[in-house]
Amino acid sequence: MLEDSLIIFDFLTETLRFLPENIFIFGRSIGTGPATYLASKRQKCKMLILFSPFTNLKAIVKDYVSILSVFFRDRFPNIEHIKEVKSPIFILHGKKDKIVKVEHSEQLHKAAKTKYKHLVVREEMTHNQYKLYDDLIIPLCQFLKIIQLNKNYEVRTNTRSAKKRDFR
């Protein structure tokens, strides 16, 4: 599955000629595994968007049945892959999510090393119940606006050079 995500991305960029800088990589729940992996390998994507992500599958198994986690092979080590992502990262999680605890998103946000990263935790959102516009679209658009403003906004340090503002 991880290799498939690379093949699809390469098809989009090499065959269909999409610019990597115009591609948003989106993953929700289990889909955050391939999405995070892809963004770590194809670093020129526009943004990585993670919706109810997990640090790794072994940690989820441990949350439910701790003793069985020692026998579980982890196919999606998001906590490791996110460290390699260079694109902006937007993470959304619901505080009432009982399938994937919100702590997973907090740990991923902390582990991410990219310049632009943003974590949104919605009070009333669960794993499967959310308001598309209020919980996802509005916060994502606000983050995109902040990134764009910061990339375009320059603070003059002297007459010969300019320094870009930083957003974290």
Side-chain angles (χ1 to χ4, degrees), residues 52-117:
S52 301
F54 53 89
T55 54
N56 59 61
L57 288 179
K58 194 170 190 165
I60 293 176
V61 172
K62 189 175 182 179
D63 288 344
Y64 289 100
V65 199
S66 62
I67 190 72
L68 293 179
S69 67
V70 296
F71 302 109
F72 195 81
R73 184 177 149 257
D74 197 355
R75 295 179 56 190
F76 303 119
N78 288 347
I79 195 74
E80 296 305 319
H81 291 151
I82 204 160
K83 296 173 186 175
E84 305 302 319
V85 176
K86 303 289 185 231
S87 305
I89 301 171
F90 178 86
I91 302 172
L92 174 64
H93 212 115
K95 205 165 206 172
K96 292 185 177 180
D97 191 332
K98 293 188 184 336
I99 295 172
V100 180
K101 295 179 180 178
V102 72
E103 289 82 12
H104 288 263
S105 284
E106 293 166 347
Q107 291 173 33
L108 287 168
H109 181 261
K110 186 176 179 180
K113 297 183 184 333
T114 185
K115 181 177 179 180
Y116 298 103
K117 60 183 179 177

Side-chain angles (χ1 to χ4, degrees), residues 6 116 142 145 160:
L6 297 174
Y116 298 103
Q142 290 170 339
K145 191 175 191 179
R160 294 192 169 250

Side-chain angles (χ1 to χ4, degrees), residues 2-11 37-38 41-42:
L2 297 178
E3 293 300 319
D4 292 342
S5 67
L6 297 174
I7 292 167
I8 292 168
F9 189 91
D10 293 343
F11 176 78
Y37 174 79
L38 177 59
K41 300 299 181 195
R42 300 297 185 262

